[in-house]
Amino acid sequence: MTLLHRRLAGLPLRDSAAHQAVTERAAQILRPGGALAWLDETAAWVAGWQRTGRPAIERPVGVIFAADHGVAAAGISAYPPEVTAGMLAAFEAGQATISAFARAAGAELRSVDVGVARPTGDIRVEAAMTPERFDAVVQQAFDAVDALDCDLLVLGEMGIGNTTPSAAIAASLVGGDAASWVGRGTGVDDEGFARKVDAVQAAQRRIAGITDPIEILREVGGAELAAIAAATIAARHRSIPVVLDGYVTSASVLPLAMIDTGSLDHCIVGHCSAEPGHRKLLDHLGKRPLLDLNMRLGEGSGAMAAVPLIRMACAGISEVPTFAEFFA
């Protein structure tokens, strides 16, 4: 049993009283009933995990996990693997797109190297990670989240080639034709797309017979994908609401949902990406994205773009009086 398996046990539940209080307040707020229904539901979701009847987003933090992939050598990306290290440097210098988005959203941004220049195994022919490395990455992610002081956690990733492991996870756990889970990623041509499909199919054949979702994550995922799954569970133990980003983050947490259908109750999806497999995956998870802007950047950018919306949802509950309060 991996460290991640063990931490999946005993997950705390939301504060139902706080959730109900916001739901009831939303029905009495100084505006037409149901006028902002989805935003009010979002505020109630935040309230349940912040465990307060007056939810607020004051300390949002974005965490980007970065790592390299052995399968990238198969020509499944439009960019070389070295770009991962370059982007990590951009995050650390505050010069990446997600850095600008975080500043605009009033969020702190942190990047965590869980495998840059230390690629995982080529999933076509070998496990992405040994059990030892998998547990080490999981612990690193636990430690990263435990060090945060935040009231909303935005999760993102960077790893050239990582939509291929994401497709391998989705195809292995949900089923269906491998090609239906593969997209253009960073913009590969037809030959690159075919190589991605071949890689996913090879990974599926190699792990045939493995049924444990966490083992599938270890076998065909990647270090940053495992870190995202672990960070999601670490946040749950601290009752921190989580905003998931695109296809890669959703595929990362899919194994958790396959083991415990309630394990993602503290998660909301910031956006639906342009990757065709993402919408399919969200339908399977029963998650509706807040934004649908055809984005395909990664880095946590779509999730960060949703932070002001979540903040407004909370302000619309906590800072607006009810009819009774206003006309008292």
Side-chain angles (χ1 to χ4, degrees), residues 17 58 77 220:
E58 299 175 342
S77 175
V220 302

Side-chain angles (χ1 to χ4, degrees), residues 23-97:
T23 299
E24 292 176 357
R25 183 175 179 81
Q28 305 167 41
I29 213 83
L30 194 63
R31 55 178 174 261
L36 299 179
W38 193 359
L39 292 183
D40 290 342
E41 290 171 14
T42 300
W45 166 77
V46 173
W49 293 104
Q50 288 188 349
R51 304 184 183 282
T52 175
R54 292 299 177 99
I57 305 302
E58 299 175 342
R59 303 183 311 283
V61 175
V63 177
I64 307 168
F65 294 101
D68 281 317
H69 295 261
V71 74
I76 45 84
S77 175
Y79 292 88
E82 293 76 18
V83 170
T84 302
M87 288 307 304
L88 179 61
F91 301 148
E92 293 173 344
Q95 296 297 303
T97 300

Side-chain angles (χ1 to χ4, degrees), residues 84-194:
T84 302
M87 288 307 304
L88 179 61
F91 301 148
E92 293 173 344
Q95 296 297 303
T97 300
I98 184 60
S99 309
F101 278 21
R103 287 191 291 270
E108 180 185 349
L109 185 66
R110 298 188 182 187
S111 55
V112 182
D113 178 355
V114 292
V116 177
R118 304 185 306 281
T120 51
D122 184 340
I123 62 172
R124 298 174 300 171
V125 296
E126 61 185 329
M129 288 169 283
T130 64
E132 293 76 18
R133 181 175 182 185
F134 185 81
D135 275 354
V137 167
V138 165
Q139 186 62 60
Q140 189 176 358
F142 286 161
D143 292 344
V145 173
D146 287 345
L148 299 178
D149 176 19
C150 67
D151 51 26
L152 185 72
L153 175 60
V154 173
L155 291 177
E157 43 64 37
M158 179 63 210
I160 292 299
N162 64 11
T163 56
T164 297
S166 299
I169 292 170
S172 299
L173 289 176
V174 180
D177 181 55
S180 69
W181 292 105
V182 175
R184 298 285 175 171
T186 50
V188 293
D189 57 18
D190 289 346
E191 292 181 355
F193 180 83

